[in-house]
Amino acid sequence: MIRIGILGDIGSGKSYVAQRFGYPVFNADYEVSKLYTQNRIVYHKLTKLLPKYIYDFPIDKIQLSRAILANNSNLKKIVKVVHKEIRFKLNSFLKKNKNKKFIILDIPLLLENNINKKKDILIYVQSKKIDILKNLKKRKNFNIKILKKFREIQFPLDYKRKNSNFIIKNKFTKKSINVEIKNILKKIE
């Protein structure tokens, strides 16, 4: 099994690119949102750490946003609780897909949390800042302050780009992405 990690800025189209590969994808953002809406253990851990902000199940983005904006350490507390659960889900995903030719890791903090392995193929999704902002503004509950907080806990984009094996220039068209993915898969097969 070859592990392919997708890197890039928030809103650069990482999840879209990951899906276009046509192989099993571990989408950490999706798994995290499921934790907030389905996992009472995570809820109880977060209510103990952040009782002023996390008070209702399922946890919604408004509760999380207030906690993150109120205090710089709150995001780190949330990430610490969630990360443990996500690692468990990732390990289950890897076991389930161990016989697949490729698996795709769509994990925003892949490098920051040392989830990547030395042999992983890292692909950086590069997008124009104006396109990223346009993409982000389409999201429900978009908040520029929250975006900045998340960027603060991530490695610089230059670091991610330099540590990648390939770069996909996302022009936000299906055709351009498919061509670039096909070329990458030919090179690593």
Side-chain angles (χ1 to χ4, degrees):
M1 167 182 55
I2 296 174
R3 296 168 32 137
I4 298 175
I6 308 295
L7 309 174
D9 198 2
I10 298 166
S12 62
K14 295 182 302 292
S15 295
Y16 179 77
V17 168
Q19 290 298 328
R20 302 302 308 162
F21 273 86
Y23 290 97
V25 176
F26 182 82
N27 181 322
D29 285 345
Y30 173 74
E31 294 297 334
V32 167
S33 71
K34 280 192 342 193
L35 286 179
Y36 293 144
T37 59
Q38 298 172 13
N39 189 314
R40 287 193 178 270
I41 294 168
V42 167
Y43 167 71
H44 290 299
K45 287 179 183 178
L46 290 174
T47 56
K48 282 181 185 165
L49 288 172
L50 304 164
K52 188 176 173 184
Y53 306 102
I54 309 298
Y55 48 81
D56 204 12
F57 186 82
I59 303 168
D60 62 34
K61 291 201 181 219
I62 294 167
Q63 293 176 74
L64 294 166
S65 296
R66 287 184 183 146
I68 292 165
L69 291 172
N71 184 319
N72 284 338
S73 68
N74 287 350
L75 177 57
K76 289 178 181 158
K77 290 176 185 175
I78 293 167
V79 168
K80 190 174 181 181
V81 169
V82 167
H83 178 71
K84 189 176 181 182
E85 295 294 324
I86 293 302
R87 280 236 188 216
F88 176 76
K89 289 188 173 285
L90 173 61
N91 287 334
S92 296
F93 170 84
L94 293 172
K95 283 177 191 163
K96 178 182 168 191
N97 292 289
K98 68 182 177 194
N99 295 322
K100 301 288 184 190
K101 187 172 188 175
F102 299 103
I103 55 105
I104 314 300
L105 302 175
D106 179 11
I107 304 173
L109 299 174
L110 182 74
L111 300 180
E112 292 82 349
N113 288 328
N114 293 314
I115 298 168
N116 62 304
K117 305 276 187 224
K118 221 174 193 149
K119 291 182 179 182
D120 287 356
I121 304 292
L122 300 177
I123 299 173
Y124 182 82
V125 178
Q126 184 173 309
S127 304
K128 292 179 182 173
K129 285 192 187 292
I130 194 161
D131 291 334
I132 290 172
L133 198 55
K134 202 185 314 177
N135 199 20
L136 288 170
K137 285 181 177 177
K138 291 177 190 172
R139 292 183 182 180
K140 189 180 172 191
N141 299 324
F142 170 70
N143 183 321
I144 194 81
K145 290 177 184 173
I146 299 284
L147 174 67
K148 287 178 182 176
K149 296 272 187 188
F150 276 102
R151 282 185 172 153
E152 285 172 13
I153 65 167
Q154 295 188 358
F155 288 157
L157 296 177
D158 280 345
Y159 176 83
K160 291 181 178 189
R161 192 180 309 113
K162 286 175 186 168
N163 284 284
S164 295
N165 304 89
F166 299 96
I167 295 174
I168 288 180
K169 291 187 170 136
N170 189 1
K171 298 171 190 159
F172 293 92
T173 66
K174 200 182 285 187
K175 186 180 179 186
S176 68
I177 297 298
N178 288 345
V179 168
E180 293 207 46
I181 288 172
K182 229 180 243 180
N183 290 336
I184 289 170
L185 288 174
K186 279 181 195 170
K187 290 176 184 173
I188 61 177
E189 285 186 292

